Amino acid sequence: MSTSQSSTLKIGIVGFGSFGQFLAKTMIKQGHNLTATSRTDYSNSCLQLGIQFFRDVRMFIEANNDVILICTSILSFSEVLRSMPLACLKRQTTLFVDVLSVKEHPRDLLLQVLPEESDILCTHPMFGPDSGKNGWKDLTFMYDKVRIRDEATCSSFLHIFAEEGCKMLQMSCEEHDKIAAKSQFITHTIGRTLAEMNIESTTIDTKGFQTLTQLKETTMRDSFDLYSGLFIHNRFATQEVWN
């Protein structure tokens, strides 16, 4: 992918929790114009960042965004997407982007629910507010161009992450979920198992045990909803459990 093509985008964020805000700060730094909507009132946070916040989803949809970036949880994605008044879209080819940690699930829903003329880009930034707090250089950004007609808008959006030094990885949603089931899901499962065992650091920790306690602490910073979503909405995760 060429990283030279870039233009200022109007990006609307759906779900302005910690991850949405994390992405928004870099997008604003790069000069993009942002709007946001969320079930929680983030109007004060948006005001501080210079983002227009809409409590009314219809007004958000009518705001003529180039890109609608959905930053909800895995478990709420379907409900949020289906509740959008998509008939109110002003642009013919709005680019819809998801950032979920599973990929076949949002891909299938976006293809099912969105108007035929809407573009679809499924992505997974392999980092978050903790791992990306000192910048995104050399952090992996996975993406799949599921249905793209407006290549310029798609390229400009991907350029946001390429410009920050991300490792840009184009991969199918199916392949992503196969690999994630053997890596991310297993990591979360082991971390939560260690938490249930109540392991704690001791004065005679080996390096191996320190690694395990760090894994437990890192895993438990993520919500149980994320773990549930990784299992429920990745068909390959169940195969890992029963193999």
Side-chain angles (χ1 to χ4, degrees):
M1 183 202 70
S2 171
T3 61
S4 62
Q5 298 178 357
S6 180
S7 61
T8 301
L9 296 172
K10 185 173 183 181
I11 302 170
I13 298 179
V14 180
F16 204 65
S18 59
F19 193 71
Q21 293 177 42
F22 166 68
L23 294 179
K25 289 172 184 176
T26 294
M27 292 172 179
I28 291 169
K29 180 190 73 174
Q30 291 187 6
H32 298 287
N33 300 313
L34 269 61
T35 65
T37 188
S38 198
R39 287 180 293 186
T40 302
D41 185 358
Y42 286 106
S43 53
N44 288 334
S45 299
C46 284
L47 184 64
Q48 294 172 10
L49 293 169
I51 298 171
Q52 186 176 9
F53 183 78
F54 293 94
R55 291 304 306 272
D56 187 329
V57 179
R58 178 178 295 273
M59 292 179 65
F60 170 82
I61 292 292
E62 292 176 343
N64 203 30
N65 296 293
D66 300 309
V67 179
I68 291 182
L69 177 62
I70 307 175
C71 296
T72 65
S73 69
I74 298 171
L75 297 183
S76 65
F77 184 84
S78 177
E79 178 187 354
V80 170
L81 180 63
R82 293 179 189 279
S83 69
M84 292 183 189
L86 297 171
C88 299
L89 284 168
K90 297 292 186 183
R91 284 174 53 87
Q92 284 293 311
T93 55
T94 304
L95 174 63
F96 281 79
V97 184
D98 88 280
V99 291
L100 297 188
S101 299
V102 295
K103 295 273 55 81
E104 286 190 321
H105 172 61
R107 177 201 65 190
D108 294 347
L109 279 169
L110 290 165
L111 285 169
Q112 178 184 348
V113 175
L114 292 181
E116 174 64 27
E117 59 269 19
S118 296
D119 282 357
I120 300 171
L121 179 68
C122 287
T123 78
H124 183 191
M126 307 294 294
F127 52 90
D130 286 334
S131 55
K133 63 185 177 183
N134 296 317
W136 301 354
K137 183 174 173 55
D138 295 329
L139 300 177
T140 301
F141 182 86
M142 170 268 164
Y143 65 95
D144 185 6
K145 295 181 177 182
V146 176
R147 184 172 71 202
I148 301 296
R149 296 182 184 86
D150 185 347
E151 287 285 353
T153 296
C154 181
S155 178
S156 292
F157 181 82
L158 291 173
H159 183 80
I160 293 169
F161 299 89
E163 185 176 312
E164 295 300 315
C166 289
K167 293 179 180 177
M168 305 300 288
L169 177 62
Q170 188 165 9
M171 174 185 288
S172 72
C173 292
E174 179 181 10
E175 185 65 19
H176 170 279
D177 284 3
K178 282 181 182 178
I179 295 172
K182 293 181 179 295
S183 58
Q184 188 180 25
F185 173 69
I186 287 176
T187 300
H188 278 259
T189 299
I190 293 172
R192 289 192 172 274
T193 301
L194 294 171
E196 288 295 319
M197 295 171 65
N198 295 315
I199 69 164
E200 300 291 345
S201 296
T202 72
T203 55
I204 56 169
D205 286 357
T206 62
K207 290 294 184 182
F209 190 76
Q210 288 174 2
T211 300
L212 291 178
T213 56
Q214 184 177 3
L215 172 61
K216 181 204 75 170
E217 291 166 3
T218 301
T219 302
M220 295 308 292
R221 283 200 288 269
D222 291 319
S223 69
F224 188 75
D225 273 4
L226 172 60
Y227 178 63
S228 298
L230 291 173
F231 179 70
I232 296 169
H233 292 299
N234 184 345
R235 60 191 173 98
F236 300 103
T238 55
Q239 295 175 16
E240 290 299 316
V241 170
W242 299 117
N243 280 349

